[in-house]
């Protein structure tokens, strides 16, 4: 019992959003995580450019093909060290929250970012000072979410200030809002040394903050050169059935978003998951 979704930009052969919607219709997948900056490179999708007409156009386009925009992506570096650049990023996110209703999207999503502008790895991300900075930023975004009745969906990752299940729980407790949601990507939270504990990690996340989980990213992987390497769903070693059993029990009809699975691989994944 879950709602299968795909990222629009994983349909790499689609030359337009219309072709993207048609592919989804024929594949039988009815939910999209829509990253306009990737899927619409020729259109201005910055914060100031968003408008009710744009949202309604894409909502209706997808709806004609039986598709809902489940997640509106606005992935960016929310804790950018350049405060002027950060302000621009946060204003864009707030514009997405304000306009999400016209797209028919219940949430706007992002990872947390890094104190390094290019989003590189640094242990500086793991300090309490940076975490408190993140809390301040998320509190600001959530206030907009509350105003516009749109969930702020935050995704954790090992290289970010939100690097673990426990740290995510800290953020939830610090922000304390019904409009903060969590996108759980368990592959983002394990290493080659810890990946065998992934199912336990998912169980723990649902025990600690299952009420906050609004979507799960399902990213298959292999271990290569002692590193996690994402692969097309079905080609890796993720224990997906155990994870989906947890989601179906704890969060019926939750969005399950395929990630790093493209084109024909999407059809293969749907067959594996839905029969």
């Amino acid at each position: 019992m879950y709602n299968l979704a795909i990222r629009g930009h994983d349909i790499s052969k689609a030359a337009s959003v219309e072709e993207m919607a048609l592919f989804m219709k024929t594949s039988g997948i009815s939910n999209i995580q829509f990253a306009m900056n990737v899927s619409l490179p020729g259109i201005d999708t910055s914060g100031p450019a968003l408008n009710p007409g744009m949202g309604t156009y894409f909502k209706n386009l997808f709806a004609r093909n039986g598709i809902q925009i489940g997640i509106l992506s606005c992935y960016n570096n929310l804790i950018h060290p350049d405060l002027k650049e950060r302000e621009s990023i946060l204003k864009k996110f707030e514009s997405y929250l304000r306009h999400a209703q016209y797209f028919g999207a219940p949430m706007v999503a992002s990872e947390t970012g890094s104190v390094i502008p290019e989003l590189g790895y640094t242990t500086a991300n793991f300090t309490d000072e940076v975490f408190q900075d993140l809390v301040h930023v998320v509190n600001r975004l959530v206030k907009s979410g509350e105003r516009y009745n749109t969930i702020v969906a935050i995704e954790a990752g090992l290289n970010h200030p939100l690097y673990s299940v426990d740290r995510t729980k800290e953020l939830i407790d610090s922000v304390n809002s019904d409009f903060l949601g969590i996108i759980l990507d368990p592959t983002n939270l394990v290493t080659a040394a810890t990946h065998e504990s992934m199912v336990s990690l998912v169980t723990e996340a649902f025990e600690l903050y299952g009420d906050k989980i609004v979507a799960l990213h399902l990213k298959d992987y292999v271990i290569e050169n002692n590193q996690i390497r994402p692969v097309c769903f079905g080609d890796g070693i993720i224990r997906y059935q155990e994870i989906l059993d947890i989601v179906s029990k704890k969060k019926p009809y939750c969005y399950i978003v395929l990630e790093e699975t493209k084109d024909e691989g999407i059809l293969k994944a749907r067959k594996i998951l839905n029969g």
Side-chain angles (χ1 to χ4, degrees):
M1 292 189 294
Y2 50 85
N3 269 320
L4 188 61
I6 59 173
R7 304 185 308 179
H9 52 286
D10 282 333
I11 309 171
S12 64
K13 294 183 178 181
S16 65
V17 181
E18 288 78 9
E19 288 186 13
M20 182 191 301
L22 184 60
F23 176 94
M24 292 186 65
K25 180 179 181 180
T26 57
S27 72
I29 296 173
S30 56
N31 303 287
I32 186 171
Q33 180 166 343
F34 193 34
M36 292 193 293
N37 63 314
V38 183
S39 296
L40 304 170
I43 297 176
D44 186 355
T45 57
S46 63
L50 263 60
N51 62 83
M54 177 190 288
T56 302
Y57 175 81
F58 288 115
K59 179 181 73 174
N60 290 343
L61 168 65
F62 285 117
R64 285 196 298 272
N65 292 278
I67 302 160
Q68 185 211 11
I69 301 174
I71 304 169
L72 196 59
S73 286
C74 191
Y75 279 63
N76 217 315
N77 190 353
L78 301 183
I79 55 167
H80 198 291
D82 183 324
L83 295 185
K84 183 177 179 180
E85 181 65 23
R86 181 192 296 191
E87 182 64 20
S88 176
I89 289 167
L90 296 183
K91 283 184 175 178
K92 178 180 179 180
F93 199 104
E94 288 167 336
S95 179
Y96 272 58
L97 289 169
R98 184 167 70 253
H99 289 90
Q101 59 182 312
Y102 305 110
F103 289 84
M107 67 187 87
V108 178
S110 180
E111 293 176 333
T112 57
S114 173
V115 295
I116 296 179
E118 60 274 16
L119 298 173
Y121 173 82
T122 172
T123 56
N125 281 331
F126 310 143
T127 67
D128 289 337
E129 180 182 4
V130 170
F131 179 74
Q132 290 305 318
D133 191 24
L134 174 64
V135 170
H136 175 76
V137 165
V138 175
N139 261 316
R140 168 178 166 174
L141 295 179
V142 163
K143 284 182 171 58
S144 287
E146 291 170 346
R147 180 177 180 183
Y148 301 116
N149 200 36
T150 302
I151 294 169
V152 176
I154 298 296
E155 181 180 348
L158 281 180
N159 294 339
H160 306 156
L162 213 61
Y163 54 80
S164 69
V165 167
D166 288 338
R167 204 57 149 169
T168 302
K169 182 62 164 64
E170 286 185 58
L171 178 70
I172 291 166
D173 291 342
S174 298
V175 173
N176 189 28
S177 170
D178 291 339
F179 285 85
L180 171 61
I182 300 297
I183 294 179
L184 177 62
D185 185 336
T187 307
N188 274 5
L189 295 172
V190 296
T191 65
T194 64
H195 76 99
E196 291 183 358
S197 66
M198 183 182 291
V199 175
S200 297
L201 183 152
V202 173
T203 298
E204 182 183 9
F206 274 93
E207 288 175 348
L208 287 177
Y209 49 81
D211 59 322
K212 291 291 187 180
I213 295 174
V214 292
L216 183 135
H217 278 179
L218 195 59
K219 183 162 55 190
D220 209 347
Y221 65 95
V222 294
I223 305 298
E224 192 173 272
N225 298 321
N226 205 33
Q227 298 288 327
I228 296 277
R229 182 172 71 83
V231 296
C232 179
F233 183 83
D235 293 342
I237 60 176
I238 191 170
R239 291 157 60 186
Y240 69 89
Q241 193 58 63
E242 292 171 79
I243 292 170
L244 292 178
D245 286 346
I246 294 168
V247 178
S248 294
K249 180 180 178 181
K250 299 287 188 180
K251 211 79 172 179
Y253 302 104
C254 183
Y255 291 122
I256 302 293
V257 186
L258 295 175
E259 186 172 346
E260 302 299 337
T261 295
K262 302 180 185 296
D263 303 323
E264 287 79 9
I266 293 169
L267 304 178
K268 172 185 171 183
R270 183 188 178 278
K271 186 174 181 180
I272 294 172
L273 291 169
N274 293 342

